[in-house]
Amino acid sequence: MGTHETHSTDSHSSLPTPTTPRGREALAAILAAPRTALVALDFDGTLAPIVENPEDARPHPDALPALAELAPKVASVAVVTGRPAAVAVSNGGFAGVPGLERLTVLGHYGAERWDARTGTVSAPAPHPGVAAVRAELPAVLEAAGAWRGTWVEEKGRAVAVHTRRAEDPQAAFEALRRPLADLAARHGLIVEPGRMVLELRPPGVDKGVALTEYVREIGAGAVLYAGDDLGDLPAFAAVDKLRSDGVPGLLVASGSSEVTELSERADLVVEGPAGVVDLLRSLAARLR
């Protein structure tokens, strides 16, 4: 999509201008008809800074106020995350926030859903392959000579292997890709790579599917999607498809030197969660 600049704003600055024609068209559509617009955001790395222990992830201090200011002015705000929905709600502090009464959290890449209106999570039965992978994973990691510091995150409907704490995180990540892919394939799962993490989860469920289904459900006339990691690429692809179907879409990358694929495809690059928050606040300030 060409060269992308990183934009930073503050609560008093003007709304940044996307660097692509499609991005500018989408922003104009959102500003013209905000009540039909969907604002969808990843959690880790987008609303919340990346931390060594995912259990410690919390939103940027200004994220909830920014979302609460914006949400009543648009059709819907949705958090689309690979985390279990209940964990995202708990870590995000999304429940009971004035202004976020209509917030939706699409967890486990859309396999789970939490609605602020009901405060409940709805989900289908777990894929049986996850339990099988969970049982075999320790032996596979040992056989692969997993580096000290590699650890496993239990995600209920998925299992994630993190290498960020390893002595050589990238080497550990690369060494585990093939054995984990083989393990996943044996049990009907796929491996989703991320920022120093390899997640084993069921196929056919990703952020792109979740986003597309939600856009259709609410009849969104325009969509903004913000993400930071490889798991957000399906959502970016879904927005591209929606554009071809006549739904304007704005792709925002929460800037990271670890994942350039998103920034190269984005219409707008901001400086991490702080930049995302500034964008949300600037957008809210423009809407009536």
Side-chain angles (χ1 to χ4, degrees):
M1 286 189 178
T3 302
H4 301 277
E5 302 171 7
T6 298
H7 294 263
S8 179
T9 65
D10 58 43
S11 59
H12 302 291
S13 69
S14 61
L15 197 58
T17 302
T19 59
T20 65
R22 279 186 158 184
R24 291 191 289 273
E25 176 190 353
L27 181 57
I30 293 169
L31 293 174
R35 302 291 179 180
T36 71
L38 166 64
V39 175
L41 311 112
D42 170 45
F43 184 72
D44 294 277
T46 302
L47 286 175
I50 293 293
V51 292
E52 186 173 282
N53 184 353
E55 295 178 1
D56 296 332
R58 297 294 184 272
H60 182 282
D62 294 326
L64 289 180
L67 289 173
E69 182 182 358
L70 177 63
K73 300 179 178 182
V74 297
S76 181
V77 170
V79 176
V80 188
T81 175
R83 287 178 178 266
V87 173
V89 172
S90 176
N91 284 24
F94 298 129
V97 177
L100 297 183
E101 293 86 358
R102 295 182 294 117
L103 178 73
T104 296
V105 175
L106 303 175
H108 272 309
Y109 304 93
E112 294 184 348
R113 175 169 169 166
W114 177 87
D115 289 294
R117 280 173 287 191
T118 64
T120 60
V121 174
S122 57
H127 190 293
V130 176
V133 160
R134 186 182 297 116
E136 294 183 28
L137 190 55
V140 170
L141 293 176
E142 183 176 355
W147 274 250
R148 180 178 299 178
T150 298
W151 64 283
V152 176
E153 180 187 4
E154 174 54 59
K155 302 183 74 171
R157 295 173 181 272
V159 180
V161 179
H162 294 261
T163 67
R164 189 174 293 274
R165 298 178 190 168
E167 183 176 349
D168 189 334
Q170 188 63 44
F173 179 88
E174 296 298 336
L176 288 172
R177 291 187 77 141
R178 177 54 62 86
L180 291 184
D182 292 343
L183 172 62
R186 288 201 300 274
H187 298 290
L189 304 182
I190 61 170
V191 173
E192 180 74 51
R195 295 165 70 175
M196 299 304 125
V197 59
L198 294 157
E199 182 170 313
L200 293 78
R201 61 180 177 84
V205 178
D206 61 38
K207 292 183 179 182
V209 173
L211 183 64
T212 300
E213 291 181 349
Y214 192 64
V215 165
R216 290 173 177 164
E217 175 187 332
I218 69 172
V223 58
L224 179 158
Y225 183 83
D228 77 304
D229 206 348
L230 295 174
D232 296 300
L233 286 173
F236 271 41
V239 171
D240 280 335
K241 176 63 167 62
L242 288 165
R243 287 167 161 173
S244 68
D245 293 339
V247 179
L250 174 59
L251 294 170
V252 179
S254 177
S256 167
S257 58
E258 291 182 6
V259 184
T260 59
E261 290 91 336
L262 260 71
S263 59
E264 290 169 354
R265 293 183 59 177
D267 305 303
L268 182 65
V269 180
V270 298
E271 296 178 357
V276 171
V277 167
D278 287 341
L279 173 63
L280 297 176
R281 296 174 74 179
S282 296
L283 180 58
R286 285 285 300 274
L287 302 180
R288 295 292 180 265

